Amino acid sequence: MSDQAAITELERLLKLQKAAFIKNQNTSVEERKANIGKIPAMVLSRRDAIRDAMQKDFGAHPTATTDLIEVLGVAGRAAHVLAHIDEWTAIQRREVDAQMFGSSSAEIRFQAKGVIGNIVPWNFPLDLSLGPLCEMLAAGNRVIIKPSEFTPATGELLASMVKDTFPEDLVAVVNGGLELSKAFSQQKFNHILYTGNPTVGKLVMAEAAKNLTPVTLELGGKCPAIITEGSVTKENIENILGTKLLKNGQMCISVDYVLCPKADVETFVNGARKMFDEGLSDYATSQFDNTGIISNRHLHRLQDMVKEAEKAGVRSVKLGGDAAAENSKRQLPLTLLVDPPRDCIAMQEEIFGPVLPIIPYDDLDAAIDEVNAGERPLGLYVYSKDIDAANKLINNTSSGGAAINCAAMQGALPSLGFGGSGNSGMGRHHGIEGFREFSNPRGVFIRAAGEKDMIRAFAPPFAPLGTPLAEAAYKQAMGMS
């Protein structure tokens, strides 16, 4: 399908879903449960097809990663939403001044926003399309999903899965290229979720602003792992590197660089070497562990990043062997860059691949200054035996989320709100925060019938009630101050 045809289809689906929403703006909780309940079977029954599609799109993609994140992760998120939807959707009572309003009541009713557009990134094409769908449906919305043009096989599979599972006036998928991507954020959605980089995020937000469409932006950034003195241990080194190797670094909450006590830098480098020598010596060509870089353009960018650092005299440490000569699967080893200058590409841009700068620091305050000198990251990770030191680092920096003695787990829990801050994004999905993100918390006041209250004081003529009430309230307020 051409992009123009895809845009026409998008416009048709949006019109269809908006009309369906107008007819039924308050779907029952039972209906929402039934829709969300279809998601686990949809992914679990297509496990092999999902594995095959991910292999085609990435060139190489570990089946364990596909199973744990794209299949089981989605199913688990749906189960979490189903377990909590009754409490999330419940009406919340709010306090009312009985002297002013008598026995009237006030409450928050969570209302669906309408039709939500989800612009999905290429790195987690099912997790970030079907995962947020659980909370969007829980809130009673209708959804149109736009997969990345970098994952055409998974995008086509997703379209087929959704078409077989949901009516198109509830959930639909549109696939296409750059022109469709541009047109998507120009549509009059009731909310847009975009996951990607800050540059495109600003463009999405600018287009959405023309329609006053609210946005949730998940944008990544340079997520640091900070190791405190005495904590450069085998376990911590393996956890940091293991997180980095997930998707071969192509993850918005991956470890982007390591802040390491100056005296322990060589301990970290030697520990990394040992980890690869003992269990990942063929990592660069492994079909079981190494995810291919998504495109040749992304591959060349990472290679150039390392070359630039090496040309500037930075020591590089390659781990996991050499990439294949022909490298049709676009696989790369992990490269450590020891103390690169702050003006090199590896320290200026989010890396999003298997390159890991190791930055030495003198004391905790210096580490804090290093983090605060840059934009707020999506994640921040502290490895420490000293909880006070860990909390000092977290309390004196800003990030979307954080973790202590591990990395990225704050983004894996279906119960924990996930999102950015500043340059790494705005808004949240996952858990109750996701449900509320995609809901309108509608304040409703119910005036009690057949009983006197003070509401008439707010309208003229003011002399009988409004003026004396204001005077009495003013005297009371002055007495309190």
Side-chain angles (χ1 to χ4, degrees), residues 272-322:
R273 280 200 182 101
K274 184 176 182 181
M275 171 183 166
F276 275 79
D277 289 344
E278 292 179 351
L280 291 165
S281 59
D282 63 344
Y283 174 75
T285 56
S286 171
Q287 63 176 320
F288 303 107
D289 299 312
N290 189 308
T291 300
I293 305 304
I294 190 62
S295 73
N296 285 322
R297 176 170 67 83
H298 291 78
L299 177 75
H300 296 151
R301 171 184 171 272
L302 292 165
Q303 292 171 328
D304 290 344
M305 183 183 293
V306 173
K307 289 176 183 177
E308 183 215 33
E310 291 174 338
K311 188 175 180 180
V314 175
R315 176 162 66 109
S316 65
V317 181
K318 184 171 62 178
L319 302 171
D322 294 317

Side-chain angles (χ1 to χ4, degrees), residues 226-427:
I226 310 166
I227 315 176
T228 66
E229 184 178 357
S231 296
V232 183
T233 63
K234 177 178 183 291
E235 180 182 4
N236 289 341
I237 293 170
E238 290 181 353
N239 185 265
I240 290 170
L241 297 184
T243 303
K244 184 66 172 179
L245 298 183
L246 179 59
K247 289 276 186 172
N248 217 2
Q250 299 171 104
M251 181 172 68
C252 58
I253 51 173
S254 186
V255 177
D256 192 90
Y257 64 99
V258 176
L259 282 166
C260 182
K262 184 179 291 185
D264 295 323
V265 168
E266 289 308 311
T267 300
F268 186 96
V269 172
N270 292 332
R273 280 200 182 101
K274 184 176 182 181
M275 171 183 166
F276 275 79
D277 289 344
E278 292 179 351
L280 291 165
S281 59
D282 63 344
Y283 174 75
T285 56
S286 171
Q287 63 176 320
F288 303 107
D289 299 312
N290 189 308
T291 300
I293 305 304
I294 190 62
S295 73
N296 285 322
R297 176 170 67 83
H298 291 78
L299 177 75
H300 296 151
R301 171 184 171 272
L302 292 165
Q303 292 171 328
D304 290 344
M305 183 183 293
V306 173
K307 289 176 183 177
E308 183 215 33
E310 291 174 338
K311 188 175 180 180
V314 175
R315 176 162 66 109
S316 65
V317 181
K318 184 171 62 178
L319 302 171
D322 294 317
E326 41 80 32
N327 207 7
S328 61
K329 296 181 179 179
R330 302 183 301 275
Q331 293 175 298
L332 288 175
L334 176 66
T335 300
L336 306 182
L337 298 177
V338 182
D339 197 14
R342 304 307 184 266
D343 61 353
C344 72
I345 294 174
M347 291 306 297
Q348 290 294 311
E349 299 179 3
E350 182 179 6
I351 292 172
F352 227 71
V355 178
L356 185 62
I358 313 300
I359 309 300
Y361 72 87
D362 293 314
D363 54 47
L364 287 185
D365 289 335
I368 290 168
D369 290 343
E370 183 80 38
V371 174
N372 289 336
E375 298 282 4
R376 295 179 178 182
L378 188 57
L380 180 143
Y381 314 119
V382 180
Y383 292 80
S384 183
K385 298 175 181 177
D386 183 348
I387 191 62
D388 290 333
N391 284 327
K392 177 180 179 178
L393 287 161
I394 288 178
N395 293 339
N396 288 280
T397 56
S398 294
S399 63
I404 296 176
N405 292 326
C406 64
M409 287 300 102
Q410 82 282 1
L413 299 181
S415 61
L416 194 61
F418 174 75
S421 174
N423 204 61
S424 59
M426 61 184 69

Side-chain angles (χ1 to χ4, degrees), residues 172-208:
V173 176
V174 285
N175 280 292
L178 183 59
E179 293 307 312
L180 174 63
S181 297
K182 292 178 180 178
F184 197 91
S185 56
Q186 296 170 354
Q187 306 303 309
K188 290 187 177 181
F189 286 103
N190 300 110
H191 194 105
I192 291 175
L193 166 61
Y194 166 77
T195 306
N197 63 69
T199 300
V200 177
K202 292 174 184 177
L203 298 175
V204 170
M205 190 173 183
E207 292 296 338

